[in-house]
Amino acid sequence: MSVIKLTDLDLKDKRVFIRADLNVPIKDGKVTSDARITASMATIKYCLDRGARVMVTSHLGRPEEGVWSEENSLKPVADNIAERLGKPVRLIKDWVNGGFEVALGELVVLENCRFNKGEKKNDDVTAQSYAKLCDIFVMDAFGTAHRAEASTHGIAKYAPVACAGILLTEELEALTKALHNPARPMVAIVGGSKVSTKLTVLESLSEKVDQLVVGGGIANTFLKAAGKNIGKSLCEDDLIPTAKMLIDKMKQRNATIPIAVDVVVGKKFDANEPAVMKDADAVSDDDMIFDIGPKSAKELADIIMKAGTVVWNGPVGVFEFDQFGAGTHTIAKAIADTKAFTLAGGGDTIAAIQKYDIYDKVSYISTAGGAFLEFLEGKKLPAVEILELRAR
């Protein structure tokens, strides 16, 4: 990635505008999960330590454009950051046209950028107003890099300098290492309920990886494509031909999509539903598949242990219910133990990583969902593309 890096610039006395991803869950005016704030602090602290005048903004929730609302205010985020820095942090409400000063070494939080008219449509006039506020624009929100908005893309066109923050740089380096120059064998684990939502990812990865592990509801469509009875399990019948095509396509280049040999079933989707182990050939018409069985899980763990690179997006079973979580737990443990470079991303994946306590055992955990998937698909991310253009 040929972008200007924040760490290559002189920041002293410069007005620095950071677009971070501080879109965190809030309840009763308090941040309930601050992982994204933690991830954004490296860039914020770096700028403060070098004597910059620092502004940071982010979106939060889905507010109506042009209308301020308390539930989508960044006030709890500003309070959380103030606590971390051990000093007050001002929240500036109407900031688009300036009219506020930032002292040397001070940080201010600019209120939710999605309150601003023209933000989501990447309006030129809005973007130019943003750009006038700063000497250096820092894009650090990988989570929104797949969207061209005024605070992620437009401002980068007009700011005197546009660069990548520390978090964005780390994300891009980890993804590039995993996808463009991977250590082999390369294994991708793609879980989720529907093939349709991950179809382009599966198609793109089927050309790159040595083994493509499908999990969750997606795996049922592949099981059915392989001629197995899947009972009443979640399945997309119209995508069975696509699943067959992907299996054949990978076979032709000596790559594989491992199909489960045993499964864990129940009669209904319920937290108290008993788990029953079955061979993949023995599923009855009223069964629903909720997890892979121990033989299949062991086979996948062996694949992960022999891999050079593992990309993980999505669990392989309904791990929220403990009785259907053994498959995902086995995979998580293998990812923690393998010598491979491991890259994980997506909300459900991070929930599994936290549940099975392997957070510090994964080489890189992406904070993003949509942008992570689009990068896996080989798509250009607009907010990264504009930084590359500005670097030239």
Side-chain angles (χ1 to χ4, degrees):
M1 295 281 154
S2 43
V3 298
I4 297 166
K5 292 181 187 169
L6 171 68
T7 49
D8 295 337
L9 299 172
D10 175 19
L11 306 179
K12 191 151 181 56
D13 203 15
K14 297 281 197 297
R15 296 172 306 153
V16 176
F17 184 119
I18 304 168
R19 171 56 159 104
D21 181 5
L22 307 171
N23 183 27
V24 292
I26 288 168
K27 195 174 178 212
D28 303 329
K30 288 266 184 263
V31 174
T32 56
S33 168
D34 59 2
R36 284 181 174 161
I37 301 176
T38 303
S40 302
M41 287 308 294
T43 292
I44 291 169
K45 282 189 170 145
Y46 184 89
C47 297
L48 290 173
D49 291 347
R50 278 150 192 81
R53 302 168 185 268
V54 191
M55 300 159 263
V56 64
T57 193
S58 171
H59 70 290
L60 182 82
R62 299 172 186 272
E64 185 188 335
E65 205 164 88
V67 183
W68 182 89
S69 66
E70 192 174 352
E71 66 168 319
N72 292 306
S73 170
L74 286 176
K75 176 81 173 75
V77 173
D79 293 345
N80 183 293
I81 294 173
E83 228 168 88
R84 290 162 185 267
L85 295 175
K87 58 183 181 187
V89 171
R90 286 188 290 151
L91 176 72
I92 297 179
K93 200 165 165 186
D94 299 308
W95 53 269
V96 179
N97 297 311
F100 59 92
E101 288 297 314
V102 185
L104 278 180
E106 186 191 9
L107 168 74
V108 298
V109 173
L110 306 180
E111 186 57 287
N112 191 339
C113 54
R114 284 207 184 144
F115 288 151
N116 303 335
K117 287 202 161 150
E119 163 64 25
K120 282 198 81 162
K121 288 203 173 93
N122 198 16
D123 176 70
D124 258 4
V125 176
T126 306
Q128 284 163 353
S129 301
Y130 291 178
K132 284 185 188 133
L133 300 173
C134 67
D135 304 305
I136 296 167
F137 167 63
V138 184
M139 176 59 182
D140 208 33
F142 182 70
T144 60
H146 59 311
R147 296 197 182 100
E149 296 177 350
S151 67
T152 60
H153 183 273
I155 182 175
K157 277 198 296 203
Y158 300 112
V161 177
C163 69
I166 293 167
L167 177 63
L168 182 69
T169 303
E170 281 179 358
E171 290 267 5
L172 293 174
E173 283 172 355
L175 284 159
T176 303
K177 180 176 173 182
L179 291 166
H180 295 294
N181 195 12
R184 299 276 173 186
M186 181 183 180
V187 177
I189 302 159
V190 180
S193 53
K194 292 182 169 181
V195 176
S196 48
T197 55
K198 303 269 175 93
L199 187 59
T200 38
V201 177
L202 293 168
E203 284 173 342
S204 172
L205 289 173
S206 71
E207 289 163 12
K208 298 184 177 118
V209 302
D210 301 295
Q211 271 133 343
L212 179 57
V213 174
V214 288
I218 292 174
N220 298 336
T221 305
F222 280 83
L223 271 169
K224 197 162 178 181
K228 309 281 185 203
N229 180 21
I230 59 162
K232 293 191 302 186
S233 307
L234 184 67
C235 175
E236 290 171 290
D237 287 336
D238 56 327
L239 288 171
I240 288 170
T242 307
K244 284 182 176 160
M245 180 272 295
L246 289 170
I247 292 168
D248 291 342
K249 183 167 124 183
M250 287 192 65
K251 235 182 229 158
Q252 278 164 13
R253 56 177 196 82
N254 294 325
T256 57
I257 297 181
I259 301 293
V261 292
D262 57 347
V263 291
V264 182
V265 302
K267 300 297 182 197
K268 60 180 192 287
F269 185 84
D270 186 86
N272 302 312
E273 182 64 12
V276 180
M277 306 275 177
K278 290 198 171 181
D279 279 341
D281 291 322
V283 175
S284 51
D285 291 344
D286 61 344
D287 281 334
M288 297 173 89
I289 301 171
F290 292 135
D291 194 12
I292 53 173
K295 285 186 215 150
S296 303
K298 185 180 182 315
E299 189 188 322
L300 298 185
D302 291 345
I303 288 171
I304 291 165
M305 294 310 287
K306 292 183 190 126
T309 304
V310 182
V311 177
W312 183 20
N313 175 255
V316 295
V318 185
F319 76 99
E320 303 89 319
F321 301 157
D322 286 346
Q323 71 274 35
F324 301 120
T328 302
H329 190 186
T330 300
I331 280 184
K333 196 175 169 333
I335 282 174
D337 294 342
T338 184
K339 301 248 185 323
F341 175 77
T342 52
L343 173 70
D348 287 346
T349 314
I350 292 173
I353 285 168
Q354 286 171 325
K355 178 167 182 169
Y356 302 122
D357 198 21
I358 61 160
Y359 215 90
D360 52 352
K361 307 266 183 15
V362 183
S363 312
Y364 194 84
I365 297 172
S366 174
T367 54
F372 178 76
L373 284 176
E374 292 203 6
F375 199 101
L376 292 188
E377 284 170 38
K379 283 186 184 167
K380 276 274 186 199
L381 306 178
V384 176
E385 217 170 359
I386 188 75
L387 292 182
E388 291 179 323
L389 276 171
R390 288 302 309 270
R392 288 184 210 138

